Amino acid sequence: MKENKTFYITTPIYYPSAAPHIGHLYTTVACDAIARFKRMEGCKVMFLTGTDEHGQKIQQKAKEAGVTPKQYVDEIAGKFQKLWKYVNVDYDRFIRTTDDYHETAVQKIYQTLLNKGYLYKSEYKGKYCTPCESFWTESQLDENGKCPECHREVKEATEEAYFFKLSAFSEKLEKLLTETDFVQPEWRAKELVNNFIKPGLEDVCVSRTSFTWGVKLPFDEKHIAYVWIDALSNYITALGYENDKYDDMKEFWPADVHMVAKDIMRFHALIWPAMLMALDLPLPKKLSVHGYINFNGVKMSKSIGNVVDPFVLGERYGVDSIRYHILREMPFGSDSDYSNEIMINRINSDLANDLGNLVSRTVAMVVKYFDGTLPAEREEGEFDADLKKMAVRLTPAVTSLVDETKLSSALTEIMNVVSRANKYIDETAPWILAKDPAKRARLASVLYNLLETIRICTALLTPFMPAMMPKALEQIGASKEDISFEKLSVFGVLPACVTVKKGDVLFPRLDVVSEIEYLNSVIAPQKEEQNAERAEDEDLDKAGLISIDRFAQVKLRTAQVVACEKVAKSVKLLKLRLDDGRNGRQIVSGIAKWYKPEDLIGKKIVFVANLTPAKLCGELSEGMILSCDCGDSVKLLTVDSEVPNGSTVR
Ligand code: ME8
């Protein structure tokens, strides 16, 4: 139990120029899972996230949107906070770089760097990538002379600027990267040494005069702070460094973990430690660098246009399934490729079949054979020792993997024990034991061992799936004390006569074919494809035609009207409840003039299944019903009564 230990973990602060997607979600959910795990261990945790709101890019976007930069960032910072709440990210502090206390502290940081001789004025001549807000040297550009990160055009920039003496820290940084385990995984540190330190570390330009949206330098007000110095400082200003808003530096600095993706590793592994050295502050303990979530091999990003919207996935599959999927799929340090197929199969195999089934089978057997409460008698038997050994070894193994930020491996370890428990059911065959009254004590032991294994596994999974695991624990009758951290390495904690409580299915099994069809219809295809399609569509548009591919994007299906009523506030609208062969849906249609609600019940109709849901007079409409114009009246397009509900129309 780490009662007096503190733990400080940070995500990057996100640019508010893009709608959050599951790439952003990965880092934040990973940090959330670690933060929750550390709280469970008994640490006092500070989990920081936020938004990075200054810079030329944002100034431009705001201008395009016809609002002030502040109005622009206010709206988008809210979107991130809404997403984090939705996916149960339980951060302790949220920083915005436009917060007054942060801006003042950044000015003081610049002043200190100047006073200590680490800043000097010169002229910047170089290549600047506006979208990445990064300066590059000639040798760092890609093979086409473009930005090595986003591969877009860079432009020549010359302006008076302040420089930070990064080169002065070359030796110390090399030592940090080669002699310590600051950067994880280790091979990433080698990459930094070879790419940046060996060729000779250059000083960094840390002020701009060509735009105004940022922190003004206190000693030269026409200069705006470089976004990266501004942004990196957040990790200390949010604890109260050089400001009165907070006073947590002593308790939480140095950070235990900064987690970032590989694109921003160099800022965190070179500029940030050098800044801290210049400020005489201790260095963070670990920089954990993960790969990208790709979509068909390309980094998922709003500017590429291949993003997967977390709200869409969460609504459909539950937030915990999405959290589990992205954490389980991302191998430590490498990229992971998002695919609808892998996600649906992963949810089915790990969550519905293995975990969900283990819980529901075990609880159902305790209810069936013992009316929900186990008797006190016990009889140990074959296979018990192996299961128990695996279960008690799990917590220390998972703890060290979480400490190493190897979350996918931690989940694999837990799911191995879940699988072992399922195998134990097959080995011990409780349904056969139940037939023999003499085997009652053995049956009770088997079920108790299963409940104990579930207790340990689901408690360890709680930081990863905080919505559903408490429900699983409730079903097996585990109290809060039963899952205190020190009890997760002990077998035999639940009361001997534990009472279980049957509950809802934790993770319903998904129909692979229809879910993939659904996901393909809602997830944005790649931009190149979109552009090509758009050009083709534009030509066809001119001729008043559409391509077959475009038509195929419209998903038409059959359904049967099972209920219908008028929409209260409207004379035109009827609200129809449909049996669509799936979960059912509601559609609002403007046909009240031609149909009475009771006339529609039982009719089989055709509807558009992949329209964006909309609210009409306050009622949700999930699609559109097809109808035909017949002179002055309108008739619904109906289908033969033999056609099953939910059939595809093509
Ligand atoms: O870089 N896969 O902000 P940002 C995995 N403001 N992670 C991804 C991802 C993907 N496809 N896309 C984004 C910035 N991320 C700066 C940071 S910190 C002082 C300043 C995650 O909005 C990943 O963690 O571009 C990456 O490092 C971060 O989003 C960058 O977000």
Side-chain angles (χ1 to χ4, degrees):
M1 186 76 169
K2 303 191 174 176
E3 249 142 31
N4 298 316
K5 271 204 91 179
T6 60
F7 184 80
Y8 179 31
I9 184 163
T10 68
T11 73
I13 48 172
Y14 299 100
Y15 287 130
S17 54
H21 54 73
I22 66 165
H24 297 115
L25 195 64
Y26 175 78
T27 325
T28 316
V29 165
C31 289
D32 181 59
I34 297 172
R36 285 173 181 271
F37 200 93
K38 289 283 151 190
R39 288 188 200 114
M40 192 164 91
E41 270 185 51
C43 291
K44 183 168 180 194
V45 171
M46 172 67 74
F47 167 23
L48 174 73
T49 188
T51 38
D52 183 1
E53 304 186 351
H54 288 131
Q56 189 173 18
K57 199 165 53 175
I58 287 158
Q59 190 170 325
Q60 271 170 2
K61 294 252 179 198
K63 199 170 160 202
E64 284 161 24
V67 293
T68 65
K70 184 70 172 99
Q71 284 167 331
Y72 182 78
V73 293
D74 280 352
E75 191 192 324
I76 300 180
K79 284 191 188 172
F80 275 87
Q81 283 163 322
K82 195 171 138 212
L83 173 62
W84 303 148
K85 194 161 180 229
Y86 178 69
V87 295
N88 290 318
V89 164
D90 189 13
Y91 54 76
D92 297 288
R93 206 158 278 176
F94 191 95
I95 187 168
R96 300 179 56 185
T97 52
T98 52
D99 289 336
D100 288 347
Y101 75 91
H102 171 79
E103 291 189 348
T104 320
V106 169
Q107 289 186 320
K108 291 189 180 161
I109 289 171
Y110 266 87
Q111 189 67 57
T112 310
L113 294 175
L114 184 81
N115 296 350
K116 291 187 160 206
Y118 291 116
L119 291 188
Y120 62 92
K121 202 187 228 180
S122 177
E123 197 170 61
Y124 180 77
K125 282 196 210 77
K127 312 283 178 189
Y128 186 71
C129 174
T130 310
C132 295
E133 279 166 327
S134 296
F135 291 106
W136 302 98
T137 59
E138 198 77 51
S139 63
Q140 288 168 338
L141 298 178
D142 72 6
E143 60 280 16
N144 301 315
K146 296 192 176 168
C147 171
E149 287 296 345
C150 72
H151 307 289
R152 280 179 277 209
E153 290 294 342
V154 287
K155 59 179 188 197
E156 286 289 347
T158 307
E159 59 185 38
E160 177 193 281
Y162 285 87
F163 281 74
F164 172 59
K165 283 188 187 166
L166 184 63
S167 57
F169 298 92
S170 198
E171 246 173 65
K172 283 188 179 167
L173 289 172
E174 185 163 356
K175 273 198 168 155
L176 175 72
L177 297 177
T178 52
E179 293 173 16
T180 74
D181 54 6
F182 169 59
V183 174
Q184 292 295 318
E186 219 173 290
W187 53 269
R188 292 252 181 231
K190 293 200 178 91
E191 221 175 80
L192 285 163
V193 173
N194 292 338
N195 294 348
F196 295 98
I197 298 186
K198 291 268 191 269
L201 210 48
E202 290 174 31
D203 292 346
V204 199
C205 172
V206 291
S207 79
R208 306 294 317 280
T209 53
S210 51
F211 63 93
T212 51
W213 180 240
V215 178
K216 287 191 170 61
L217 301 198
F219 42 84
D220 197 344
E221 291 225 326
K222 74 174 191 294
H223 286 260
I224 297 295
Y226 174 40
V227 279
W228 273 101
I229 301 284
D230 175 2
L232 290 162
S233 306
N234 96 88
Y235 300 129
I236 48 177
T237 63
L239 294 183
Y241 184 73
E242 296 283 28
N243 68 76
D244 299 330
K245 169 102 173 158
Y246 300 112
D247 188 18
D248 301 308
M249 278 297 279
K250 257 204 211 107
E251 190 162 24
F252 289 108
W253 191 257
D256 292 271
V257 179
H258 288 316
M259 189 176 285
V260 299
K262 60 187 183 183
D263 53 344
I264 57 173
M265 165 176 73
R266 69 189 176 103
F267 300 99
H268 285 81
L270 300 171
I271 301 180
W272 181 226
M275 272 173 73
L276 291 166
M277 289 174 197
L279 296 170
D280 289 321
L281 286 173
L283 303 187
K285 292 176 202 157
K286 187 190 311 211
L287 178 66
S288 175
V289 183
H290 62 78
Y292 292 151
I293 296 192
N294 291 332
F295 193 95
N296 295 339
V298 180
K299 181 192 178 195
M300 188 178 290
S301 96
K302 181 77 180 171
S303 53
I304 299 173
N306 59 353
V307 299
V308 177
D309 182 344
F311 289 105
V312 170
L313 298 183
E315 281 306 290
R316 188 97 177 166
Y317 307 113
V319 161
D320 275 5
S321 302
I322 308 310
R323 287 176 61 115
Y324 176 83
H325 170 68
I326 57 176
L327 297 179
R328 174 67 186 77
E329 276 311 307
M330 179 73 92
F332 181 60
S334 314
D335 290 356
S336 95
D337 209 13
Y338 175 87
S339 125
N340 296 333
E341 285 80 354
I342 295 176
M343 181 179 71
I344 299 298
N345 286 319
R346 174 70 70 195
I347 294 174
N348 271 348
S349 68
D350 291 15
L351 300 181
N353 289 358
D354 285 359
L355 179 63
N357 219 5
L358 174 66
V359 176
S360 65
R361 274 164 102 189
T362 306
V363 170
M365 287 191 285
V366 179
V367 170
K368 185 169 174 194
Y369 303 137
F370 296 109
D371 273 344
T373 302
L374 286 185
E377 310 102 271
R378 292 287 182 269
E379 185 190 321
E380 290 299 293
E382 210 190 342
F383 312 113
D384 295 4
D386 189 38
L387 179 71
K388 287 183 190 175
K389 194 169 82 189
M390 271 184 90
V392 294
R393 283 184 182 172
L394 185 59
T395 301
V398 171
T399 306
S400 48
L401 288 167
V402 170
D403 283 341
E404 292 168 55
T405 67
K406 293 182 177 164
L407 301 186
S408 170
S409 309
L411 288 170
T412 308
E413 287 288 323
I414 303 172
M415 294 312 288
N416 283 344
V417 178
V418 167
S419 300
R420 181 67 192 83
N422 276 317
K423 189 167 158 228
Y424 177 79
I425 298 184
D426 298 338
E427 289 165 345
T428 53
W431 49 92
I432 296 176
L433 297 174
K435 288 188 185 141
D436 183 350
K439 297 276 167 59
R440 201 175 138 79
R442 177 67 192 134
L443 178 60
S445 283
V446 166
L447 295 179
Y448 183 81
N449 292 341
L450 287 167
L451 291 173
E452 271 296 280
T453 310
I454 296 172
R455 176 183 65 85
I456 294 171
C457 292
T458 48
L460 291 173
L461 284 170
T462 303
F464 302 89
M465 293 187 279
M468 299 311 288
M469 292 306 98
K471 294 186 183 172
L473 286 159
E474 197 188 324
Q475 291 190 21
I476 62 156
S479 68
K480 236 183 165 171
E481 295 76 65
D482 296 336
I483 53 161
S484 63
F485 194 70
E486 64 281 7
K487 291 190 177 158
L488 300 182
S489 308
V490 182
F491 207 88
V493 168
L494 287 171
C497 299
V498 60
T499 299
V500 302
K501 201 168 127 198
K502 240 181 158 173
D504 292 339
V505 172
L506 296 170
F507 301 100
R509 212 185 138 70
L510 303 171
D511 179 77
V512 180
V513 175
S514 67
E515 288 313 315
I516 288 172
E517 188 190 329
Y518 166 78
L519 288 170
N520 287 339
S521 73
V522 292
I523 291 173
Q526 288 195 28
K527 204 175 185 179
E528 293 79 25
E529 283 171 34
Q530 278 175 339
N531 287 343
E533 271 169 30
R534 214 171 288 140
E536 201 182 302
D537 287 339
E538 269 164 20
D539 288 340
L540 290 168
D541 274 349
K542 283 182 203 141
L545 301 169
I546 60 165
S547 64
I548 183 128
D549 289 339
R550 205 164 183 190
F551 173 69
Q553 286 171 3
V554 182
K555 305 280 177 224
L556 298 174
R557 289 210 209 106
T558 61
Q560 186 164 28
V561 182
V562 288
C564 182
E565 60 182 274
K566 287 194 156 190
V567 172
K569 289 180 222 147
S570 164
V571 283
K572 288 191 188 154
L573 300 178
L574 292 183
K575 184 169 79 178
L576 296 92
R577 185 82 217 150
L578 302 180
D579 173 359
D580 63 351
R582 292 167 171 79
N583 299 327
R585 65 168 75 203
Q586 171 171 300
I587 292 186
V588 175
S589 179
I591 49 172
K593 196 169 160 195
W594 299 285
Y595 288 97
K596 292 202 196 85
E598 59 272 24
D599 295 339
L600 293 175
I601 295 171
K603 277 198 191 304
K604 293 224 174 194
I605 51 92
V606 179
F607 71 99
V608 183
N610 60 338
L611 267 190
T612 313
K615 281 214 163 164
L616 303 176
C617 282
E619 293 289 350
L620 178 69
S621 185
E622 302 162 286
M624 188 180 89
I625 291 180
L626 298 192
S627 52
C628 317
D629 285 331
C630 305
D632 285 336
S633 102
V634 164
K635 292 253 173 282
L636 284 189
L637 181 65
T638 52
V639 291
D640 199 287
S641 60
E642 278 166 32
V643 177
N645 298 335
S647 307
T648 301
V649 178
R650 41 197 187 105

